[in-house]
Amino acid sequence: MKKFTFFFGMALLGMSTANAQDPVIANPTLEDGSYIVKYDMENHKFAESNDFEIDETFVFAIDVTGTPYVDKLAETGRNPAVIGRGMARDIYANNDINKFPHFEAGGNLDGRMFHIEGNVYGMCFNIFQYASGLYKDGPLGYVSATEYDCCQPGAVTTFGCNVFPFGYSADNQGIEWWDAIATPITTVWFNTAPYTGTKTSPDFYFDDYTTGEAFPGCADSKNSDKGWCKPEFYKNVTSGINDVIIDNNDNAPVEYYNLQGVLVNNPENGIYIRRQGTKATKIVLK
C-alpha cells in the first residue's frame, strides 16, 4: 500500500495563529502548535502526546480553564427551559494538510462532551468508528467499506476542532447551541499518530455502557452511536467489558463481573467489576 506523508506549511501557520484577544483552551501544545487532546483518566492529566491512531479508542478532552466558558457553564440560562449546560465539539478532517486522494467534503463530527473533572470536558472516543458509523467518513478518504486513505500504513490525519458550550432542556439536547452562550473557539487542531496498518480497537456503542438519559433530566439525550461514550467507561471499552450495562435502578442487586465482562455468581479471590444500580467499580476480593 502507498505510504502517505503530509507536509505542514502555511495552512498550519494559519491554524495555529489566533487573534490576540481570542480565547484559547488550556490543553498543552506541541512544538508545531497542535494541541494534545488525549487525557489520562487514571493520572488525572493530559498525555505527553497524541499517540493514538485513527481507529484507536482514547479519551478526548478539552480544558476550558481561563476561557469565558468557565463562568458561562455555571450560569443559569436566560431560557427557563434550560436545565443544564456542558461542552460540545465539532471535529473535521483538514484536507489542506491531509491531501487524501479520495477526500470528500462534509462529515463534521459534531456532538456533546461530558464533564470529567475541574474545567476538563470530554468523551471516550474512536474517531474512525464514529465517522464511519455515522457515514461521515468522506473526509477520511473513503474508498470502500474496507479501504480508507487514513488507514494506509504511515498515514497521519490532521483534524481541526471547534469547541463551545451548549445548553439542554428536558426535550432538546441542544436548545442552546453554537454561539447561543458564547463565541466558539475555532483555533483547536491536532494530529493522530502514524497508522500502523492494523485495527487497534474493537467496535463499541454508546449504549453498550449507558442506559437511559445521557444528560440528567433530558429525555431526548439517549444515544446509540458507534465509537463514543462517557469518559468514565474508557477502561471498560478497552478491556472489552461490553456486558457491564449501567442500570439506573439504585435498588438493583449487587452483581460481580470478571475483567472479561462475564457475570460471576460466586466471586472468590481476584479482581472484579462490582455493579449496583448506577455505580460500577473495580474491586479486589481477598
Side-chain angles (χ1 to χ4, degrees):
M1 293 183 178
K2 181 179 178 182
K3 181 176 180 180
F4 288 83
T5 302
F6 304 123
F7 297 93
F8 299 88
M10 292 304 293
L12 278 188
L13 180 61
M15 294 171 67
S16 60
T17 303
N19 192 312
Q21 68 265 20
D22 289 341
V24 294
I25 61 173
N27 293 44
T29 57
L30 299 172
E31 290 184 359
D32 61 5
S34 63
Y35 285 92
I36 296 176
V37 295
K38 180 178 179 178
Y39 196 76
D40 183 342
M41 294 289 288
E42 184 173 357
N43 295 302
H44 309 280
K45 65 179 184 178
F46 282 90
E48 297 299 321
S49 66
N50 293 326
D51 58 357
F52 54 86
E53 297 179 25
I54 187 70
D55 63 0
E56 182 176 358
T57 300
F58 68 105
V59 173
F60 174 95
I62 297 294
D63 186 348
V64 298
T65 299
T67 72
Y69 298 168
V70 176
D71 292 334
K72 293 294 184 181
L73 290 168
E75 286 180 358
T76 301
R78 293 176 58 190
N79 186 336
V82 176
I83 59 176
R85 283 178 169 174
M87 287 297 301
R89 91 290 173 180
D90 183 10
I91 299 173
Y92 52 93
N94 190 317
N95 195 43
D96 291 335
I97 305 302
N98 294 319
K99 301 298 183 184
F100 290 144
H102 303 96
F103 180 97
E104 293 182 8
N108 290 353
L109 308 183
D110 59 336
R112 294 143 191 85
M113 297 184 286
F114 301 89
H115 182 241
I116 296 178
E117 53 191 333
N119 294 319
V120 180
Y121 293 79
M123 71 283 193
C124 180
F125 200 31
N126 186 303
I127 298 175
F128 178 79
Q129 289 174 17
Y130 190 88
S132 60
L134 294 179
Y135 301 100
K136 294 183 177 182
D137 45 11
L140 303 183
Y142 174 83
V143 181
S144 69
T146 58
E147 186 177 0
Y148 290 77
D149 293 335
C150 68
C151 293
Q152 302 299 316
V156 171
T157 307
T158 297
F159 288 98
C161 179
N162 306 318
V163 295
F164 52 95
F166 76 97
Y168 60 90
S169 65
D171 57 2
N172 185 345
Q173 60 177 321
I175 192 170
E176 294 177 318
W177 196 250
W178 190 239
D179 57 358
I181 300 175
T183 303
I185 295 176
T186 61
T187 54
V188 182
W189 65 283
F190 63 93
N191 303 310
T192 67
Y195 193 64
T196 61
T198 57
K199 185 175 181 178
T200 57
S201 293
D203 287 358
F204 67 97
Y205 287 81
F206 188 97
D207 58 0
D208 284 341
Y209 303 96
T210 305
T211 60
E213 301 160 354
F215 297 99
C218 182
D220 188 45
S221 64
K222 295 180 176 65
N223 195 290
S224 60
D225 289 340
K226 184 169 69 171
W228 80 299
C229 65
K230 292 184 177 181
E232 57 262 37
F233 296 122
Y234 170 72
K235 279 194 172 182
N236 290 1
V237 172
T238 54
S239 61
I241 309 176
N242 290 333
D243 295 326
V244 182
I245 305 299
I246 302 303
D247 192 337
N248 287 328
N249 180 8
D250 290 332
N251 297 318
V254 175
E255 296 177 331
Y256 294 90
Y257 295 81
N258 63 23
L259 295 184
Q260 287 70 49
V262 178
L263 178 65
V264 179
N265 292 322
N266 298 299
E268 298 179 350
N269 295 350
I271 302 174
Y272 297 92
I273 301 298
R274 181 185 186 275
R275 185 188 76 172
Q276 182 180 31
T278 59
K279 296 181 179 180
T281 57
K282 182 179 290 186
I283 63 170
V284 178
L285 296 181
K286 298 182 179 179

